[in-house]
Amino acid sequence: MRVPLSWLREYVDLPDDLSTEDLAHRLTLLGLKLEALERPGHDISGPLVIGRVLTMEPEPQKNGKTINWCTVDVGDANGTGEPQGIVCGAHNFAPGDLVVVVLPGGVLPGGFEISARKTYGHVSAGMICSSRELGLGDDHDGIIVLPADAGKPGDDVFELLHLRDEVIEFEINPDRAYALSLRGVAREAALAVGDVDAFHDPAARTVPAPNGDGYPVLVEDPAGCPVFAARTVTGFDPSAPTPTWLSRRILLAGMRPISLAVDVTNYVMLELGQPIHGYDGDRLAGPIRVRRAQPGERVTTLDDVDRALDPEDLVIVDDSGPIGLAGVMGGATTELSGTTTHVVIEAAHWDPVSMFRTGKRHKLSSEAGKRNERGVDPTLPAIAADRVAELLTTYGGGTVHDGVTLVGEAPSREPIRTSLALPGVVAGFEISDGTAEESLLAIGAGLAIDGNGVEVTPPPWRPDLTDPFDLVEEVVRQVGYDVIPSVLPPAPSGRGLTRAQKLRRRVGRTLAGEGYVEVITFPFVGDQDLDALGLPADDERRTVLRLANPLSSEEPAMTTTLLPGLLKTVARNAGRGATSTALFEAASVTLPHGGGPAPIYGVDRRPTEGEIADLDKALPDQPLHLALTVSGEREQPGWWGEGRAASWADAVDAVRAVAEVLSVEVTVRAAKRAPWHPGRCAEILVGDVVLGHAGELHPRVCTAYGVPARTAAAEIDLDALLEHAVALVPAPTFSDYPVAKEDVALVVDDSVPAADVEAALRDGAGDLLESVRLFDVFTGDQIGAGKKSLAFALRFRAPDRTLKEGEAGAARDAAVAAAAERTGAVQRV
Amino acid sequence: MSGPNTDYDPVEVTPLKAEQVETMRDAALAAIAAAADLDALKQVRLDHAGDRSPLALANREIGALPPQARKEAGQRVGQARGAVNKALAERTAVLEVEHEERMLVEETVDVTLPTERRRRGSRHPITLQSEHIADLFVAMGWEVAEGPLVEAEWLNFDALNLGPDHPARTMQDTFWTEPPEHHVVLRTHTSPVQARTMLTRTPPIYVVCPGRVFRTDEYDATHSPMFHQVEGLVVDEGITMAHLKGTLDHFATQLFGEGITTRFRPSYFPFTEPSAEVDLRCFVCRGASPAVASCRTCKGEGWIEWGGCGVVNPRVLTACGIDTDRYTGFAFGMGIDRTLMFRHGASDLRDFFEGDVRFSSAFGTEI
């Protein structure tokens, strides 16, 4: 809401020593937030005066333009009283006209300094101004021609043109629709200066009683339209100009002046907050009727859009059919035009919900709709219609018809039962009953105090006040939010972070320690992203939850895997020169399971446990996933020697590192799954449950995402992994007797997983075995084609004694025998 | 070594003569002093203190002396050997120190060489900031609550006093999922976590909920379809706006430093009544008066818009099954990303979500 201060001052007495900044600050603390403070016209300086054109000589120029060499009487403003010679490019004036002249030494908006200068063969001593040059609007059809009675040559025009003003722009919260008017802001300004009597209500006017002679109006939907007022003006002069002060105010308030009739309806809306619609009475066919639209009906609104109406839309119809979207936007067929002499004025009160829905349905936002959907004072229609009629006839002639139409009446307000002590109780500091009472009266509420408390009847312009706590805010904001004391509430001793929350932090720290950089990506995904992963048609990750209104048609769904976002990030980094990266992300994915709709419950009670469960059942599964990538060099080359390329093993190891800090024992086995390399993909298991995969990406996936070749990646269900985290790690016991070390080299078929051989060794070695570690894998001619040699270091130790000669050897042999039996291993000797 | 020479007459043994012993001793001491390094000293030890050294051989002959001469000869040889051994030990110590010093000099490296074989990892500043904030509240006895990103419409809106026709719904441009009649949205704020908390716990409730939220904002330097919020909720007996102010002042001071408090301005949120905007005292210029017009952080206003707050609307408590006669509550919420942006002077919100490793790396693993 843009508020010209000169206009505001008409309805509220402000102390002379109150700066505009201070006023804006006080209003901000009351809840009307200062957005911007402008001082239009303050960048103009004179001499800027009325001039009378004495002579004008058209002079065609070589460039095709014709300029006028004028002499202008500017009175004594030039110090000499002699006519001023000025070159002017406009042609919309004639000798004898009064114009606006800026003399040398003056400054126009944008720091444009005026001086006498030579141009088109003359010395032009000043400039004849257009509206645009004075910052008065976009009109650049020519220079300003003042009415003949505007004044005499040499008179200052700052006052005349209302050039200088101050405009405070406020951000208005949706509950304070009344402040979308000068009336409402003035009322708040009176609160701001602590004097309710400083406010002069522009709506305080006596209006004629309704009678049967007004324009016929039939309201067929009184719930949608509780009040409809209409007045008629005939003999209106459509060519009458809008007075400068009025168009200036509309412009400063952020609306565009159009014509007197339209400007007046907008002016009254800004003044009172009541949206007005004007009809060309000669184009109305029969009575105005208000009803819901019928199927198939259409209307062309003032913005020239032909709209299909919904049966829920409130419409204005006449005998020709719909002529407007009620309360939101009028129709083209009955629009006020340059020939309108017969104006029918509509001022009505509408059901805000209906207004909101219609505006949303038609994606139509208008100044009228904005006010109507937030709630307007229902006592205003007759007052506003009368005010419009007055202004129209004052400035456009004609007569106000005696007929006064008023259908319906303002609904009465339910009083709110509360206690004057409540504001202090809720605010947490002493607010006396007297202060509470005064504050409520100050906002225009009616109070009836009895033994049980108080009944507060909110004023009609405050539809937002329905609950006792609404009144609390009204009282506390006047007392001042700045006096609320600062007191820490005594929270009971808490339980700290949950175990899962702690473990998730541990996972993040571990990966950061392993050299991975955490990133956060958007969870949106498209088919092409899943195609690029090479997911088969029946892959469960293709079952996505789609968005009804995605930002991008490329990414219309919620992702089921973190890899697309992560791989795009790898590619982005590589594109910026970081080809060696290790990234991770922990975020939830969305896995739809075909649940039904989520119920919508009432809000007058808590839903039952069953109802709450039904809400959750409708939601997709959203497990927390952990994904990581590693590309380029895992270790850099340097003075220490060669670097080391990232590989499948790094991805697997990162997952193992995470599992290890959670004390979860995971196993790994070969798997085939997109987007991984079919020969370099590991399944990560806890027991028999697969928690995720790790390995090198399929070369085609690297190409599709534009990430470095041989990028490795992992993705696991972190929630599932966390569930297996060991809550209580039993303290280990260990022997301090000497260790016996035995190394064995076992030759197996290439296809035998090392993990199987290791497991067999473990099982066969018996209780004395302390650890097994694979320390070398060897292939080559000595071993034979299709074979590999696995070298294991075995460590044996007894808990209670030193091992006897041969004991370790026997255990080793037993281990090898088990490996031989289960994996076909042959010991190399 | 010979046995005691008891059966023989005393004989004169040349090596045991005093001058002979002294000569042997002096030769040994000279050799020890002349040994230049530990290797040379090792040879000297063999030559002069070993089993075949003159003094050792002389010692063997003591037994051949008549008993009355043995004592004197024994003392003489013993003293000589003692002197040699002492000199050896001293020389060894000196040479070892010399050797170590030389070795340490030889082993000197250029410690300015790069040492980073593997690039360091880091955590995302949003994660760190969320944890930092959570910790501040956990330290006060609060707990951290969580909820799903894909949320039921009823929990995201209705339960929070945002009815189907509430104008505030247009303020939050919501992502709806298909089909829209299933009433499932991407949560537009972390407030449904508050509703969930009230539905599943009984007061006293003191929780903070950091998390991701979604709005259909076009992606630019200050808007993102996904961003992060932290909300706090307290429901207890006798909770007031003063408690809200106290909590936010404490929060601000903990996060931004001593003296950085908050200012409330009346505002509107459907889920709170009374409602307030929270402004943070500018922690850069500290709202110096006259205002520091050049302050880039607060643009000369002295205050930074931080978030929203208020007393939990009793309608919300009712929908969540809280006894409004007994309990009141307060709630607040602010953007984590925005807080990070002005706290750390980040100029482009997109840096948080583009994943450039240089961005996260700058924050390390703790902020």
Side-chain angles (χ1 to χ4, degrees):
Chain A
M1 178 73 195
R2 292 171 54 90
V3 178
L5 215 65
S6 63
W7 195 356
L8 183 70
R9 285 181 183 276
E10 276 191 21
Y11 315 128
V12 60
D13 304 328
L14 298 174
D16 292 337
D17 59 352
L18 179 71
S19 71
T20 307
E21 284 85 354
D22 193 11
L23 175 66
H25 176 68
R26 293 192 198 186
L27 285 166
T28 296
L29 293 185
L30 274 174
L32 308 189
K33 180 171 187 283
L34 169 71
E35 276 290 290
L37 179 56
E38 294 170 19
R39 293 198 159 83
H42 288 253
D43 53 354
I44 301 176
S45 61
L48 187 69
V49 298
I50 295 179
R52 184 182 302 283
V53 180
L54 299 175
T55 62
M56 60 186 288
E57 301 291 332
E59 295 182 358
Q61 300 295 315
K62 284 188 203 129
N63 62 10
K65 285 209 302 196
T66 298
I67 59 104
N68 289 301
W69 169 240
C70 308
T71 54
V72 184
D73 175 8
V74 294
D76 293 332
N78 56 3
T80 66
E82 295 296 314
Q84 196 84 355
I86 299 175
V87 169
C88 181
H91 302 279
N92 63 323
F93 62 103
D97 280 351
L98 293 183
V99 295
V100 178
V101 178
V102 58
L103 295 171
V107 180
L108 295 187
F112 180 32
E113 291 179 24
I114 304 301
S115 58
R117 63 188 184 99
K118 199 154 180 189
T119 180
Y120 296 112
H122 299 281
V123 174
S124 182
M127 196 168 101
I128 304 177
C129 300
S130 71
S131 291
R132 194 165 63 155
E133 283 154 353
L134 295 177
L136 290 174
D138 289 336
D139 182 8
H140 51 102
D141 292 343
I143 52 110
I144 299 169
V145 177
L146 298 169
D149 59 354
K152 62 178 197 306
D155 286 357
D156 188 273
V157 298
F158 279 99
E159 286 289 312
L160 181 71
L161 296 179
H162 304 271
L163 273 183
R164 285 189 180 156
D165 209 333
E166 289 177 299
V167 179
I168 312 178
E169 184 175 354
F170 294 107
E171 182 187 316
I172 304 297
N173 287 316
D175 61 333
R176 300 197 184 278
Y178 67 97
L180 292 172
S181 67
L182 269 295
R183 180 193 188 210
V185 174
R187 194 184 297 281
E188 291 290 308
L191 295 182
V193 297
D195 178 11
V196 288
D197 295 330
F199 173 64
H200 310 296
D201 191 351
R205 63 189 288 128
T206 316
V207 298
N211 54 45
D213 301 333
Y215 198 91
V217 172
L218 302 166
V219 175
E220 295 170 14
D221 193 322
C225 178
V227 187
F228 195 116
R231 296 295 290 277
T232 305
V233 169
T234 51
F236 177 76
D237 174 7
S239 67
T242 303
T244 310
W245 64 266
L246 197 154
S247 63
R248 181 72 175 144
R249 283 182 173 179
I250 290 179
L251 189 71
L252 291 179
M255 295 185 79
R256 213 160 54 85
I258 292 167
S259 67
L260 175 60
V262 174
D263 293 349
V264 163
T265 60
N266 285 334
Y267 182 85
V268 174
M269 176 179 71
L270 292 168
E271 181 183 62
L272 300 177
Q274 169 67 54
I276 314 282
H277 187 65
Y279 298 91
D280 184 332
D282 291 338
R283 295 163 80 182
L284 281 171
I288 289 174
R289 285 188 297 147
V290 180
R291 61 163 168 79
R292 302 283 165 178
Q294 288 160 6
E297 282 186 328
R298 306 184 74 86
V299 69
T300 300
T301 41
L302 286 176
D303 53 1
D304 285 327
V305 178
D306 176 41
R307 299 175 187 276
L309 297 171
D310 185 278
E312 263 199 42
D313 289 333
L314 269 173
V315 287
I316 310 286
V317 296
D318 68 1
D319 291 351
S320 71
I323 55 169
L325 265 179
V328 180
M329 194 175 276
T333 57
T334 56
E335 187 178 0
L336 294 173
S337 72
T339 58
T340 302
T341 58
H342 174 192
V343 183
V344 175
I345 304 156
E346 165 207 304
H349 186 71
W350 306 99
D351 169 33
V353 169
S354 178
M355 295 296 107
F356 172 72
R357 288 186 181 171
T358 293
K360 197 164 116 175
R361 191 177 296 124
H362 294 284
K363 297 189 171 58
L364 192 50
S365 166
S366 66
E367 291 292 328
K370 194 164 87 184
R371 289 167 175 81
N372 282 327
E373 74 183 28
R374 283 168 173 77
V376 179
D377 181 347
T379 64
L380 281 177
I383 295 163
D386 191 60
R387 172 76 168 139
V388 171
E390 176 196 52
L391 287 171
L392 284 181
T393 49
T394 303
Y395 297 102
T399 49
V400 184
H401 201 274
D402 287 339
V404 177
T405 305
L406 182 63
V407 180
E409 59 179 344
S412 64
R413 290 298 298 270
E414 277 296 307
I416 303 166
R417 174 153 284 286
T418 182
S419 137
L420 290 173
L422 188 64
V425 167
V426 173
F429 65 100
E430 169 77 28
I431 296 175
S432 71
D433 286 7
T435 302
E437 184 183 346
E438 234 171 74
S439 302
L440 292 172
L441 289 172
I443 61 159
L447 266 64
I449 300 175
D450 57 37
N452 296 324
V454 60
E455 282 205 333
V456 181
T457 306
W461 58 87
R462 294 299 304 269
D464 59 303
L465 303 179
T466 57
D467 293 8
F469 276 52
D470 297 336
L471 301 176
V472 170
E473 178 172 291
E474 291 305 308
V475 173
V476 180
R477 78 185 176 102
Q478 288 182 64
V479 175
Y481 274 20
D482 51 341
V483 301
I484 298 170
S486 191
V487 180
L488 267 181
S493 50
R495 291 167 295 188
L497 294 176
T498 65
R499 180 164 167 73
Q501 285 161 351
K502 286 183 205 156
L503 294 180
R504 289 202 297 263
R505 292 182 176 195
R506 201 191 287 179
V507 168
R509 289 198 195 112
T510 299
L511 285 171
E514 293 283 320
Y516 288 79
V517 174
E518 186 179 15
V519 298
I520 292 178
T521 68
F522 292 158
F524 308 124
V525 77
D527 284 340
Q528 78 285 355
D529 298 319
L530 301 174
D531 293 344
L533 288 181
L535 301 189
D538 61 350
D539 192 289
E540 77 279 2
R541 285 167 291 177
R542 285 191 181 272
T543 307
V544 291
L545 180 69
R546 293 196 178 273
L547 295 172
N549 54 337
L551 274 189
S552 156
S553 56
E554 303 275 287
E555 297 176 338
M558 296 299 285
T559 194
T560 52
T561 157
L562 299 179
L563 291 175
L566 215 43
L567 291 174
K568 287 177 197 176
T569 307
V570 173
R572 186 175 303 119
N573 274 292
R576 293 177 181 180
T579 48
S580 295
T581 54
L583 306 181
F584 81 99
E585 179 170 21
S588 64
V589 296
T590 305
L591 309 178
H593 52 63
I600 298 287
Y601 303 124
V603 291
D604 53 344
R605 63 165 177 85
R606 179 187 189 275
T608 63
E609 296 303 331
E611 285 171 333
I612 295 170
D614 286 343
L615 287 174
D616 283 329
K617 265 185 243 161
L619 299 180
D621 289 334
Q622 298 171 64
L624 186 70
H625 273 203
L626 171 69
L628 56 92
T629 60
V630 51
S631 297
E633 285 159 352
R634 178 69 166 131
E635 285 175 16
Q636 326 189 59
W639 54 267
W640 50 75
E642 304 252 302
R644 186 173 69 70
S647 81
W648 64 270
D650 292 303
V652 174
D653 190 58
V655 175
R656 286 193 200 267
V658 166
E660 215 161 286
V661 295
L662 301 174
S663 301
V664 181
E665 223 170 275
V666 294
T667 55
V668 165
R669 72 180 177 214
K672 292 195 194 312
R673 180 174 169 91
W676 283 277
H677 185 309
R680 298 183 174 185
C681 172
E683 253 173 5
I684 314 290
L685 303 97
V686 172
D688 295 333
V689 183
V690 177
L691 296 190
H693 296 81
E696 184 180 313
L697 290 174
H698 195 293
R700 282 206 295 264
V701 173
C702 293
T703 307
Y705 276 95
V707 299
R710 305 223 174 267
T711 290
E715 179 164 20
I716 59 167
D717 182 337
L718 189 56
D719 275 342
L721 185 67
L722 293 177
E723 271 174 33
H724 289 93
V726 175
L728 202 64
V729 176
T733 54
F734 40 80
S735 160
D736 47 11
Y737 286 92
V739 66
K741 300 176 185 174
E742 297 280 344
D743 289 352
V744 293
L746 300 173
V747 176
V748 293
D749 282 349
D750 253 346
S751 60
V752 175
D756 290 1
V757 181
E758 186 187 313
L761 287 173
R762 246 177 230 291
D763 289 349
D767 291 344
L768 295 178
L769 183 74
E770 184 175 82
S771 69
V772 182
R773 196 176 86 82
L774 174 75
F775 67 90
D776 196 18
V777 180
F778 182 73
T779 55
D781 292 344
Q782 302 100 305
I783 309 300
K787 301 271 185 192
K788 62 186 172 189
S789 169
L790 306 173
F792 291 93
L794 286 68
R795 293 163 69 93
F796 296 95
R797 197 174 341 226
D800 53 350
R801 62 196 165 84
T802 302
L803 290 180
K804 290 197 279 287
E805 187 96 21
E807 256 188 307
R812 176 203 62 208
D813 292 344
V816 171
E821 190 196 330
R822 278 161 52 176
T823 67
V826 175
Q827 187 171 12
R828 277 178 85 203
V829 280
Chain B
M1 189 164 161
S2 311
N5 196 1
T6 50
D7 300 337
Y8 295 88
D9 285 336
V11 285
E12 195 66 12
V13 182
T14 309
L16 293 174
K17 285 185 177 158
E19 54 275 29
Q20 282 283 1
V21 170
E22 279 168 25
T23 304
M24 286 185 271
R25 182 196 67 196
D26 292 347
L29 293 179
I32 288 166
D37 57 31
L38 286 169
D39 284 342
L41 190 64
K42 193 174 171 189
Q43 191 57 50
V44 171
R45 184 187 300 273
L46 280 176
D47 293 347
H48 296 277
D51 288 350
R52 306 234 155 253
S53 63
L55 277 171
L57 294 175
N59 196 47
R60 283 193 201 171
E61 299 306 328
I62 289 171
L65 291 178
Q68 63 273 30
R70 285 183 196 162
K71 185 178 177 197
E72 190 193 340
Q75 275 178 353
R76 195 180 303 131
V77 173
Q79 281 169 359
R81 293 184 83 185
V84 169
N85 283 335
K86 181 164 174 278
L88 266 175
E90 285 170 3
R91 187 65 185 151
T92 302
V94 168
L95 288 177
E96 276 177 349
V97 168
E98 277 180 20
H99 172 74
E100 189 184 58
E101 279 173 359
R102 193 167 54 248
M103 198 181 68
L104 292 177
V105 168
E106 283 166 4
E107 288 177 0
T108 298
V109 297
D110 177 0
V111 297
T112 69
L113 287 171
T115 57
E116 191 187 275
R117 293 191 192 206
R118 207 171 69 186
R119 290 172 186 80
R120 314 275 181 239
S122 58
R123 300 175 72 213
H124 198 284
I126 288 175
T127 312
L128 298 173
Q129 183 75 85
S130 303
E131 291 178 1
H132 183 194
I133 291 171
D135 289 345
L136 298 181
F137 284 96
V138 167
M140 291 194 286
W142 297 37
E143 292 175 11
V144 179
E146 293 161 348
L149 308 187
V150 181
E151 184 58 285
E153 180 184 355
W154 188 82
L155 284 162
N156 193 72
F157 290 123
D158 303 66
L160 301 166
N161 195 33
L162 279 140
D165 293 308
H166 205 291
R169 281 203 188 187
T170 59
M171 289 161 58
Q172 305 184 335
D173 301 307
T174 308
F175 281 109
W176 295 84
T177 68
E178 291 279 11
E181 60 271 21
H182 275 200
H183 304 296
V184 172
V185 301
L186 305 193
R187 70 180 186 196
T188 57
H189 43 194
T190 43
S191 311
V193 182
Q194 298 188 17
R196 285 177 173 275
T197 303
M198 288 188 275
L199 286 168
T200 51
R201 300 189 186 196
T202 49
I205 292 170
Y206 288 77
V207 294
V208 65
C209 347
R212 294 180 182 191
V213 301
F214 299 87
R215 308 251 174 109
T216 57
D217 285 333
E218 289 294 338
Y219 192 33
D220 62 28
T222 54
H223 297 87
S224 167
M226 180 179 90
F227 56 100
H228 297 74
Q229 279 188 338
V230 59
E231 291 196 11
L233 169 73
V234 166
V235 180
D236 202 347
E237 289 177 11
I239 288 299
T240 69
M241 291 178 87
H243 293 135
L244 172 59
K245 182 81 165 70
T247 301
L248 288 171
D249 281 344
H250 178 77
F251 181 21
T253 302
Q254 291 293 304
L255 209 50
F256 293 95
E258 211 48 54
I260 301 304
T261 54
T262 62
R263 174 180 82 172
F264 284 6
R265 281 184 286 114
S267 187
Y268 171 74
F269 306 105
F271 26 90
T272 51
E273 189 72 44
S275 301
E277 297 277 348
V278 191
D279 294 340
L280 182 74
R281 173 58 80 193
C282 178
F283 59 94
V284 176
C285 70
R286 304 180 81 88
S289 186
V292 183
S294 60
C295 179
R296 293 199 314 167
T297 304
C298 67
K299 298 178 184 66
E301 290 183 19
W303 296 94
I304 301 165
E305 284 187 42
W306 198 21
C309 67
V311 174
V312 180
N313 194 315
R315 289 172 184 249
V316 175
L317 296 179
T318 300
C320 295
I322 306 270
D323 178 358
T324 55
D325 288 335
R326 183 167 170 199
Y327 296 106
T328 48
F330 69 71
F332 61 84
M334 47 273 301
I336 293 176
D337 321 45
R338 225 184 81 73
T339 302
L340 263 174
M341 281 181 83
F342 64 69
R343 187 167 180 252
H344 295 267
S347 57
D348 196 324
L349 183 55
R350 288 170 292 202
D351 288 339
F352 290 102
F353 305 117
E354 286 197 343
D356 192 310
V357 289
R358 291 169 294 181
F359 189 71
S360 281
S361 298
F363 294 90
T365 55
E366 207 61 66
I367 56 175

